[in-house]
Amino acid sequence: MIVRKKICRIEFGLFSSKMIRKLSAAKIYTPNTYDEDGYPIEGGLMDPRLGVIDPGIRCKTCGGRLGECQGHFGHIELVRPVIHVGYAREIYLLLRATCRKCGRLLLSEEELKKYNPENMTKSQFNDIWERAIRVTDSEGSCPYCGEKQIKIKFVRPYSYYEGDDNLLVTDIKERFEKITDDDLKFIGIKVRPEWMILSCIPVLPITARPSITLESSDRSEDDLTHKLVDILRINQRLEENINSGAPQLIIEDLWDLLQYHVATYFDNGITGIPPARHRSGRPLKTIAQRLKGKEGRFRKNLSGKRVNFSARTVIGPDPNISINEVGVPEVIALELTVPEEVNERNIEDLRKCILNGPKKHPGAVNVITSIGRRRILEENKEEIAKNLQYGDIVERHIQDGDIAIFNRQPSLHRISMMCHYVRVLPHNTLRLNTAVCAPYNADFDGDEMNIHIPQSEEAMAEAEILMKVQECIISPRHGKPIIGGRHDHVTGVYLLTKKGVEFTRSEALKLTQGIIKLPKGKDKFTGKEIFQELLPRDFSIEYKGKLCKKCEKCLKERCEIEAYVKIKNGKLLSGIIDAEGMSGKLLEKLFVKYGSDVAREFIDNSTKLAIRVVMKFGFTISADDWKLSEKARKRIDELIEKAKLDVDKLIQEYKSGRLKIIPGKSLEESLEDYAIMDLGNARNLAGKAAEEDVGFNSAVIMAKTGARGSLLNLTQMSAVVGQQAVRGKRIKRGYYGRTLPHFKKGDVSAEANGFVTNSFSTGLTPTEYFFHSMGGRESLVDTAIRTARSGYMQRRLINALQDLKINDDGTVRGDSNVVVQFKYGEDGIDPMKKCYLEIE
Amino acid sequence: MRHRLVPRHEVLSKEEAEKLLKFYNVTKNEIPRIKKTDPALKDMDVKVGDIIKITRESPTSGVAIYYRVVIEG
Ligand SMILES: [Mg+2]
Ligand SMILES: [Zn+2]
Ligand SMILES: [Zn+2]
Ligand SMILES: [Zn+2]
């Protein structure tokens, strides 16, 4: 039965000393834990009444065995009371709000009459607090007994002074005992304030601080036990000293030490006091440390847990498996299992698995019959196979075609976890098709990834329908493909589909073997004719590719550089296929029009074909690709020189006050903006000049088709590196009045402010190198900070949004059906599906 | 309050409010809230429990409509 009740409030309270004693199963009084024979001492911290941690022993309190008894609290009687550090602030406030003599709230009867203690608002509470505290702070007098109040000072973390005198904890406790329950109602305190002072402390059950036996059969105690031993020791010494009538000073010192130990027992990270340390010098992990932070109970064990049926290893590329597949090493396949119910269709296969046993690949580990679970062993496998019945469940090794969820951290978006079909392969890495690197942001420089094997039919179906790679081709972020051919795939199809590429039938067959079928009875194939075989027969699309120069008047299919792609009824009539085809508009339309199966097939086949093409043609870049002719070099030098002169001219104008100010900016800012603009333009022009000079070589092909690199990379390598920036401005920092001692003070020229005239191939001068490093360092620091900050933001967002969902009526609702948005995203559109609106 | 940065706030009539709650199948506890002292309601005559219709410009849909129930505060 499900009980649906609403929690209207949760109240946190405090235990009284009486309650602590009542809950206690044993009074703990001796710091010694074990006797000479190694048995726990009664009244020691390992008292057998506190629970069991050793197998075979029964609990002295409840009679339960290990696992049955969850442990029992004990208690320690403190000789002198101490402050509970968690309430130090509240104690300070209460001391100030109440009379030092009679303990009444420092607000007169008449004033209190204005309030109804049964129904107070937050601001009313604050009001009373403030006014009562003001009486003590201004050393006024009590409206009840007339006693003059004395200012109270709080020294963190737990000392209080009245005037110059140290307030003893016993005195504080006495005062708090005098505060009336009626007064407390006016300040919103629902517990007795003297409970904030500890006269005895609870001792956690030993199940919460188990000791571990090391190999050397020595016992190693939990940090909390160590801490409790400290408390007991000081407590004992304090008692001895009091009984022997030691001087007050010594007693107060010991008392303070007891306070320190009790405080660090709760929280060993309090500012203002040194953390208690282990003998080895390591700070002790006490109660607060167990809960707090990334390694604490909440984040480590409650929000996230370790799971079974998962594996992790280094990843590697495999262009021969489908994007829907993940290559799983055989060693991993031997460890991961799925439960499969026996029926008439799979009984023979499952028998074979059982006969293979747990150590040979398509094998099985357990069988669950009506009698119960049995492990499959070499000895009993034949018998189990023979007696296998319909309805039994076999836990067999994962095999080709099983469902796995593949994941790479940081899991920043939904496509960081996708569903793949298992493909058991030799060797030791998990393998994925390079077309799915983008959503995982994976590369193969040592990245590791995880797989998880769903264990029920429902889970498998859900993963397959919702998370399969082919269903994630369109990114929910921008509604365009995120999975698809890249890098060499793009180069490959470029080489294949450009003008004048022809193959004989046998060459064409070699390229397409095992990928696509070629039409019969044709002896010669152009590259385009081969490519179009990847497309459905009735597919038509026209688009401008990545190569397009955005000419003012588009020549369409007569475009000189073949940037205009026209496909009609499955025929590639014109245009070169580039990145826009492999993972852009072409793929998007395939997905929208024919569905995910066709899109997946296109990616699988086009990438395979493309790779064969690059391998057939060969594709190389070298330093020569960036070599410029004398003429071009001169032209570029002129451009840069001119830009520098322009900047000088700007400076002249600036000095003479003729410079035009950009609205909203100061004169100096305007000068900077103009300078950056001029130098930036110069770099663009230099880049153009370099591009013209180097012609259409491999590097340019890659940049222009969107395979890899950009024209900026090319410019920086061959023509000019350009202006370096720190904080979005030219480099201004460094020495007094100049950036480096190589320049004159007040030099405002381009070189002196971070403009790098050289290219990477001519080589940077020392000053240029320094400026370049400044810019480089800034971007490095920025990325480091950005990841840390966005990670934290991600955590907060996920925690806040995790249980929002979109209802059938389009509203976004949270817990218990509260409306968050009346229409999802204000327009009710799923970006992943928005392409259906745009195409046809 | 009229300003280009403040989206339009209007009070729904009793009938409209009922219709809205019925349409979304919600109670007043389940829709977003707005404090009675919210500056946007400054020169409007609203009572606790009234439903405010907010018409905003939206980058995704042009115009977006949101509803909030007035609460004490
Ligand atoms: Mg990497
Ligand atoms: Zn027990
Ligand atoms: Zn008094
Ligand atoms: Zn064009």
Side-chain angles (χ1 to χ4, degrees):
Chain A
M1 190 186 69
I2 302 166
V3 183
R4 291 195 185 280
K5 290 276 160 66
K6 266 191 184 160
I7 297 171
C8 80
R9 63 183 177 168
I10 299 175
E11 218 168 85
F12 291 93
L14 267 170
F15 275 152
S16 63
S17 294
K18 211 170 131 195
M19 195 63 178
I20 294 171
R21 282 178 204 120
K22 211 167 139 191
L23 288 171
S24 163
K27 183 185 169 188
I28 309 300
Y29 49 88
T30 167
N32 307 318
T33 42
Y34 301 102
D35 60 21
E36 305 87 54
D37 305 324
Y39 287 105
I41 294 172
E42 289 257 325
L45 281 165
M46 285 304 172
D47 193 303
R49 288 171 292 178
L50 299 185
V52 273
I53 47 169
D54 297 306
I57 298 171
R58 278 186 184 276
C59 171
K60 278 248 175 98
T61 304
C62 70
R65 291 172 200 277
L66 177 67
E68 294 165 355
C69 158
Q70 356 84 316
H72 312 276
F73 275 91
H75 79 282
I76 296 173
E77 287 292 341
L78 299 176
V79 191
R80 285 280 146 84
V82 293
I83 303 276
H84 188 315
V85 270
Y87 293 93
R89 267 218 87 77
E90 283 69 22
I91 291 170
Y92 176 48
L93 293 172
L94 258 178
L95 279 174
R96 291 193 293 167
T98 54
C99 171
R100 60 188 302 262
K101 190 172 162 208
C102 69
R104 292 297 306 269
L105 186 60
L106 291 168
L107 226 60
S108 67
E109 204 86 35
E110 293 82 66
E111 281 182 285
L112 286 179
K113 255 187 210 147
K114 291 183 217 150
Y115 302 98
N116 172 14
E118 304 305 324
N119 187 17
M120 302 271 288
T121 65
K122 221 173 166 183
S123 60
Q124 283 177 317
F125 279 135
N126 287 339
D127 221 42
I128 297 181
W129 270 113
E130 256 169 52
R131 291 201 327 201
I133 283 171
R134 212 178 302 139
V135 177
T136 304
D137 287 0
S138 59
E139 309 217 316
S141 49
C142 170
Y144 299 94
C145 67
E147 173 78 13
K148 194 170 171 288
Q149 306 297 314
I150 303 172
K151 248 192 194 164
I152 290 174
K153 209 174 92 194
F154 172 45
V155 178
R156 311 197 87 186
Y158 43 63
S159 317
Y160 303 89
Y161 297 89
E162 194 173 52
D164 294 329
D165 303 329
N166 188 5
L167 256 181
L168 292 178
V169 181
T170 35
D171 298 340
I172 299 175
K173 196 176 173 193
E174 251 168 55
R175 279 196 200 179
F176 281 2
E177 278 162 354
K178 279 187 262 177
I179 301 173
T180 64
D181 285 345
D182 290 337
D183 278 354
L184 288 173
K185 280 184 184 157
F186 286 101
I187 43 179
I189 288 182
K190 291 180 181 165
V191 295
R192 283 303 309 166
E194 62 267 25
W195 297 349
M196 298 182 209
I197 314 286
L198 301 164
S199 309
C200 71
I201 56 166
V203 173
L204 282 184
I206 44 177
T207 42
R209 43 182 180 88
S211 57
I212 21 174
T213 319
L214 300 169
E215 285 153 55
S216 54
S217 79
D218 291 342
R219 279 197 167 228
S220 172
E221 297 299 334
D222 191 274
D223 279 5
L224 281 179
T225 310
H226 283 299
K227 197 68 241 178
L228 286 164
V229 169
D230 291 340
I231 294 173
L232 283 167
R233 257 198 214 115
I234 298 303
N235 201 35
Q236 211 172 42
R237 256 173 72 196
L238 184 57
E239 188 173 20
E240 286 161 12
N241 276 283
I242 292 168
N243 290 344
S244 64
Q248 185 65 20
L249 213 64
I250 293 184
I251 289 176
E252 272 179 33
D253 272 356
L254 282 171
W255 190 356
D256 200 51
L257 203 55
L258 183 70
Q259 170 74 71
Y260 167 79
H261 284 303
V262 174
T264 47
Y265 171 63
F266 290 116
D267 182 358
N268 199 17
I270 310 169
T271 45
I273 51 171
R277 284 172 196 280
H278 196 251
R279 268 192 307 260
S280 63
R282 168 183 65 84
L284 290 173
K285 262 205 168 80
T286 53
I287 296 171
Q289 277 64 46
R290 282 193 178 194
L291 311 175
K292 256 186 196 166
K294 200 172 170 184
E295 293 291 299
R297 198 93 318 142
F298 294 104
R299 278 177 71 180
K300 186 81 186 273
N301 309 107
L302 263 14
S303 306
K305 286 195 173 82
R306 288 182 175 267
V307 291
N308 287 323
F309 306 104
S310 66
R312 175 184 178 95
T313 187
V314 176
I315 51 164
D318 189 340
N320 296 313
I321 62 174
S322 165
I323 55 165
N324 267 344
E325 292 179 310
V326 57
V328 180
E330 209 183 292
V331 274
I332 286 179
L334 285 173
E335 294 291 330
L336 297 175
T337 60
V338 266
E340 189 171 330
E341 197 181 309
V342 181
N343 58 47
E344 56 191 300
R345 287 199 264 173
N346 64 11
I347 190 159
E348 277 319 310
D349 290 338
L350 288 175
R351 267 208 186 106
K352 273 182 208 149
C353 287
I354 294 170
L355 288 173
N356 275 336
K359 289 196 181 121
K360 194 172 158 207
H361 176 56
V365 179
N366 289 309
V367 173
I368 302 157
T369 60
S370 50
I371 304 155
R373 177 187 293 253
R374 273 184 84 187
R375 223 190 160 88
I376 299 168
L377 302 162
E378 290 304 314
E379 299 82 62
N380 64 9
K381 64 186 190 187
E382 261 109 29
E383 183 245 314
I384 291 175
K386 210 176 81 196
N387 295 331
L388 197 64
Q389 280 180 0
Y390 298 154
D392 291 350
I393 292 167
V394 179
E395 289 183 338
R396 45 150 257 256
H397 291 150
I398 51 168
Q399 297 171 5
D400 288 4
D402 281 337
I403 303 289
I405 292 169
F406 201 29
N407 161 236
R408 179 181 178 274
Q409 285 101 356
S411 313
L412 296 174
H413 49 193
R414 48 187 282 182
I415 42 191
S416 287
M417 297 186 102
M418 288 188 290
C419 169
H420 292 244
Y421 293 119
V422 168
R423 177 92 175 257
V424 181
L425 295 173
H427 310 301
N428 295 312
T429 54
L430 287 169
R431 246 109 347 130
L432 63 144
N433 189 304
T434 48
V436 274
C437 285
Y440 292 119
N441 191 19
D443 49 34
F444 306 107
D445 59 3
D447 291 26
E448 291 184 44
M449 285 177 73
N450 311 316
I451 60 168
H452 298 267
I453 310 295
Q455 295 288 306
S456 68
E457 296 289 345
E458 290 97 320
M460 286 185 236
E462 201 169 330
E464 191 175 0
I465 292 165
L466 300 172
M467 306 169 69
K468 196 158 60 176
V469 174
Q470 69 179 51
E471 307 301 329
C472 302
I473 290 171
I474 306 293
S475 163
R477 187 166 78 222
H478 47 241
K480 292 185 175 62
I482 182 163
I483 294 166
R486 59 207 299 244
H487 299 173
D488 282 4
H489 305 143
V490 175
T491 310
V493 281
Y494 167 81
L495 294 174
L496 181 70
T497 55
K498 71 175 183 186
K499 223 181 278 177
V501 181
E502 276 200 341
F503 303 97
T504 63
R505 187 171 180 89
S506 80
E507 282 175 317
L509 282 170
K510 228 183 224 166
L511 281 179
T512 56
Q513 191 183 54
I515 302 174
I516 39 173
K517 279 205 182 100
L518 289 178
K520 286 199 172 94
K522 221 166 124 85
D523 284 338
K524 271 201 166 21
F525 289 89
T526 64
K528 287 194 174 68
E529 280 167 343
I530 293 177
F531 180 83
Q532 70 196 18
E533 295 305 318
L534 296 165
L535 304 169
R537 288 280 159 261
D538 60 340
F539 182 65
S540 301
I541 190 175
E542 285 181 42
Y543 66 88
K544 288 179 195 165
K546 273 258 153 62
L547 286 162
C548 181
K549 281 184 182 160
K550 318 247 152 56
C551 335
E552 264 170 42
K553 191 176 174 295
C554 190
L555 294 171
K556 301 228 160 159
E557 50 268 56
R558 275 174 286 112
C559 178
E560 263 173 37
I561 50 165
E562 289 199 276
Y564 191 82
V565 178
K566 185 171 181 182
I567 296 170
K568 205 164 178 197
N569 294 324
K571 299 261 181 285
L572 177 53
L573 300 178
S574 78
I576 294 171
I577 306 297
D578 54 22
E580 198 61 68
M582 294 300 276
S583 53
K585 293 200 181 84
L586 178 70
L587 178 61
E588 184 183 349
K589 186 157 181 191
L590 277 174
F591 184 93
V592 172
K593 202 161 167 211
Y594 302 96
S596 55
D597 283 326
V598 171
R600 188 218 60 233
E601 218 174 288
F602 174 78
I603 296 172
D604 282 344
N605 291 335
S606 64
T607 53
K608 265 190 234 171
L609 178 64
I611 289 167
R612 286 204 200 157
V613 174
V614 239
M615 288 198 288
K616 181 174 170 63
F617 283 84
F619 194 79
T620 319
I621 51 167
S622 77
D624 286 346
D625 283 4
W626 291 280
K627 200 167 238 167
L628 298 181
S629 68
E630 235 1 87
K631 214 178 98 203
R633 186 73 256 166
K634 239 167 127 184
R635 168 102 184 89
I636 288 164
D637 288 344
E638 275 166 28
L639 280 167
I640 308 267
E641 221 33 65
K642 194 183 156 281
K644 284 185 189 167
L645 285 176
D646 284 348
V647 172
D648 288 342
K649 221 182 281 166
L650 283 173
I651 292 158
Q652 289 300 322
E653 282 176 33
Y654 163 74
K655 280 183 180 154
S656 62
R658 275 180 294 126
L659 193 73
K660 230 172 100 189
I661 297 177
I662 298 171
K665 302 221 164 154
S666 72
L667 192 62
E668 286 76 18
E669 284 168 344
S670 305
L671 174 69
E672 278 303 303
D673 275 19
Y674 285 128
I676 285 177
M677 224 150 57
D678 275 352
L679 295 168
N681 281 338
R683 182 167 75 176
N684 289 341
L685 290 173
K688 286 247 166 63
E691 186 195 327
E692 273 165 34
D693 191 59
V694 295
F696 218 58
N697 65 34
S698 299
V700 179
I701 288 174
M702 288 197 294
K704 289 205 168 174
T705 55
R708 195 76 226 250
S710 65
L711 285 175
L712 176 66
N713 295 150
L714 199 97
T715 308
Q716 289 197 320
M717 287 189 277
S718 62
V720 53
V721 173
Q723 181 65 50
Q724 298 303 303
V726 171
R727 299 259 177 107
K729 294 198 175 75
R730 294 158 81 202
I731 293 173
K732 286 282 162 198
R733 46 188 62 224
Y735 293 83
Y736 183 77
R738 50 184 165 175
T739 49
L740 282 173
H742 308 69
F743 305 106
K744 291 213 169 86
K745 274 184 192 166
D747 189 345
V748 275
S749 68
E751 299 89 343
N753 289 286
F755 188 76
V756 180
T757 314
N758 279 302
S759 66
F760 286 130
S761 45
T762 56
L764 274 56
T765 65
T767 50
E768 285 175 340
Y769 183 82
F770 194 84
F771 291 136
H772 186 240
S773 301
M774 285 174 77
R777 172 67 58 82
E778 193 198 23
S779 51
L780 223 57
V781 170
D782 276 6
T783 42
I785 290 178
R786 216 181 15 247
T787 45
R789 262 224 294 257
S790 63
Y792 180 55
M793 195 167 85
Q794 175 100 359
R795 263 187 63 73
R796 308 272 308 242
L797 279 172
I798 287 177
N799 282 332
L801 303 178
Q802 59 185 356
D803 35 36
L804 298 192
K805 58 178 191 242
I806 304 170
N807 257 31
D808 287 345
D809 61 0
T811 55
V812 179
R813 301 200 187 201
D815 255 16
S816 60
N817 260 349
V818 288
V819 177
V820 176
Q821 275 186 342
F822 287 90
K823 210 166 191 193
Y824 170 66
E826 296 185 341
D827 57 4
I829 287 170
D830 175 0
M832 226 170 143
K833 301 279 157 63
K834 104 174 185 250
C835 46
Y836 291 93
L837 293 173
E838 285 163 1
I839 292 183
E840 275 154 34
Chain B
M1 178 176 289
R2 288 220 161 267
H3 189 276
R4 65 194 169 89
L5 295 179
V6 180
R8 197 163 81 211
H9 287 62
E10 318 160 80
V11 185
L12 289 190
S13 70
K14 212 169 172 186
E15 296 76 50
E16 286 173 316
E18 238 150 65
K19 216 176 125 197
L20 175 93
L21 295 179
K22 209 167 159 203
F23 181 81
Y24 287 110
N25 189 22
V26 284
T27 62
K28 280 182 184 174
N29 288 325
E30 291 165 342
I31 62 174
R33 294 145 200 200
I34 186 168
K35 277 190 184 172
K36 206 177 152 192
T37 51
D38 194 287
L41 305 182
K42 209 166 179 181
D43 33 75
M44 286 169 67
D45 183 29
V46 293
K47 304 181 300 294
V48 169
D50 281 351
I51 293 176
I52 308 290
K53 175 181 178 186
I54 304 166
T55 313
R56 303 182 179 134
E57 277 177 36
S58 159
T60 52
S61 66
V63 175
I65 294 168
Y66 207 71
Y67 301 95
R68 317 193 91 119
V69 63
V70 179
I71 57 160
E72 198 67 63

